């Protein structure tokens, strides 16, 4: 008699392959929704904090949340062989991407900054292929490239296509974040996703605590509803909870497929920008959204 194949999730619970993949896709999608609010929340935070203060404070707050969870559950230290990977996650996701995008948002709109998110899925898939030896199908790559081109064309059209210093920050953020996502997805196969980002945040505390103290002493702070809400969201929502479900989703469905869900992130960011920041959305948005949804459907069905 044939037995149904099953897999052990990072939580230790045995689940069948198809439900695990569906739940993994859902978790990755929840992460994308959380990330889509990052740029508008950062714009809010910049209303009352300087860029260095904002990045340092968000990292410290997220580390306190993660550290409290690690201590409360008495999670043992990761194995020695995992610390190098955690350092890559910390450098790319905890420090590099937040700092570079925050510096970019000082002179760029959230619509312009969304170009980095539009290119992130393709870059993450490339990083995954180099680091983990994954080989997605040709259909997967064609759909992924088409989705990236659609998002890039939309966001560049929104920004007028002008290159600036902010673009250099954004392209650098793209590379470091893709590396962090890839390494985090690999580690999430051997430890729960929330522990991956939790330990990465804790690893940064010796840097972020003194950085926060110095930055707050030099950069003026104005506590308003927007600035406080923005910092709280990027700390708890984007930096911790969003990454928890994101890494769990990547562990379940694989880095390349999970990364393609981020094709929808720039469009979600634009919607939040209209609702929260009062930015204007052009008629090209629904057309781009339809193209992106088609690409996501193809990449999710394509077999690697």
């Amino acid at each position: 008699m044939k037995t149904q194949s099953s897999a052990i999730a990072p939580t230790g619970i045995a689940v069948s392959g198809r439900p695990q993949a569906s739940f993994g896709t859902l978790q990755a999608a929840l992460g994308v929704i959380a990330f889509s609010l990052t740029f508008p929340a950062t714009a809010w935070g910049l209303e009352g904090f300087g860029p260095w203060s904002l990045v340092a404070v968000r990292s410290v707050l997220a580390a306190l949340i993660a550290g409290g969870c690690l201590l409360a559950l008495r999670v043992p230290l990761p194995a020695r062989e995992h610390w190098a990977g955690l350092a890559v996650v910390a450098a790319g996701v905890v420090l590099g991407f937040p700092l570079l995008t925050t510096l970019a948002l000082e002179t760029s709109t959230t619509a312009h900054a969304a170009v980095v998110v539009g290119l992130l899925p393709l870059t993450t898939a490339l990083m995954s292929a180099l680091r983990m030896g994954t080989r997605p199908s040709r259909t997967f790559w064609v759909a992924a490239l088409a989705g990236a081109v659609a998002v890039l064309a939309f966001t560049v059209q929104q920004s007028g296509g002008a290159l600036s210093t902010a673009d250099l920050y954004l392209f650098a953020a793209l590379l470091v974040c893709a590396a962090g996502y890839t390494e985090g997805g690999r580690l999430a196969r051997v430890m729960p996703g929330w522990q991956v980002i939790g330990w990465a945040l804790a690893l940064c505390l010796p840097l972020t605590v003194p950085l926060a103290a110095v930055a707050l002493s030099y950069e003026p702070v104005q506590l308003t509803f927007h600035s406080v809400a923005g910092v709280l969201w990027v700390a708890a929502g984007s930096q911790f909870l969003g990454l928890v479900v994101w890494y769990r989703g990547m562990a379940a469905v694989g880095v390349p497929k999970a990364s393609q869900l981020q094709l929808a992130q720039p469009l979600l960011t634009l919607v939040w920008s209209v609702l929260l920041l009062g930015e204007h959305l052009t008629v090209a948005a629904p057309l781009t959204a339809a193209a992106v949804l088609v690409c996501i459907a193809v990449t999710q069905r394509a077999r690697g």
Side-chain angles (χ1 to χ4, degrees):
M1 180 176 66
K2 294 183 179 181
T3 57
Q4 185 179 18
S5 62
S6 63
I8 304 298
T11 56
I13 301 174
V15 292
S16 61
R18 188 174 296 275
Q20 183 192 28
S22 299
F23 188 53
T25 300
L26 175 61
Q27 290 181 100
L30 290 175
V32 169
I33 293 173
F35 299 154
S36 70
L37 279 160
T38 300
F39 286 170
T42 299
W44 272 12
L46 286 171
E47 293 181 14
F49 291 84
W52 293 89
S53 300
L54 177 58
V55 172
V57 169
R58 69 179 275 184
S59 297
V60 170
L61 290 177
L64 292 176
I65 297 172
C69 294
L70 292 170
L71 289 174
L73 297 176
R74 298 181 180 180
V75 177
L77 289 172
R80 182 178 299 178
E81 62 265 24
H82 298 326
W83 282 106
L86 289 171
V88 174
V89 176
V93 177
V94 176
L95 295 177
F97 186 79
L99 177 59
L100 291 166
T101 53
T102 299
L103 291 173
L105 284 171
E106 281 199 296
T107 57
S108 172
T109 65
T110 56
H112 188 85
V115 66
V116 70
V117 181
L119 294 176
L120 188 56
L122 184 59
T123 308
T124 303
L126 288 171
M127 287 277 188
S128 175
L130 293 173
R131 176 68 177 90
M132 302 168 66
T134 56
R135 294 293 182 269
S137 66
R138 182 178 299 177
T139 301
F140 178 96
W141 285 115
V142 171
L145 183 59
V149 169
V151 173
L152 179 60
F154 176 68
T155 51
V156 168
Q157 185 272 332
Q158 289 289 295
S159 64
L163 295 178
S164 64
T165 302
D167 293 308
L168 299 179
Y169 287 136
L170 292 170
F171 288 130
L174 174 70
L175 295 176
V176 299
C177 189
Y181 278 174
T182 299
E183 201 64 23
R186 184 186 68 82
L187 289 172
R189 294 179 176 180
V190 296
M191 68 174 71
W194 75 271
Q195 291 183 25
V196 173
I197 186 58
W199 287 117
L201 286 164
L203 189 64
C204 291
L205 274 174
L207 291 174
T208 53
V209 169
L211 176 60
V214 173
L216 288 171
S217 66
Y218 280 94
E219 294 179 338
V221 175
Q222 183 179 1
L223 298 181
T224 64
F225 172 78
H226 278 183
S227 63
V228 173
V231 170
L232 290 178
W233 177 258
V234 294
S238 302
Q239 194 100 50
F240 183 64
L241 295 177
L243 285 169
V244 167
V245 293
W246 173 245
Y247 281 137
R248 286 177 63 89
M250 284 198 296
V253 302
V255 175
K257 283 193 175 183
S259 68
Q260 300 316 301
L261 292 173
Q262 283 195 306
L263 288 169
Q265 186 174 325
L267 303 176
L268 289 173
T269 297
L270 290 173
V271 172
W272 294 124
S273 298
V274 170
L275 296 177
L276 300 177
L277 303 176
E279 295 186 4
H280 297 288
L281 200 62
T282 67
V283 294
L287 296 177
T288 309
V292 167
L293 290 176
V294 170
C295 293
I296 291 175
V298 173
T299 57
Q300 292 301 300
R301 292 180 178 276
R303 293 186 177 183

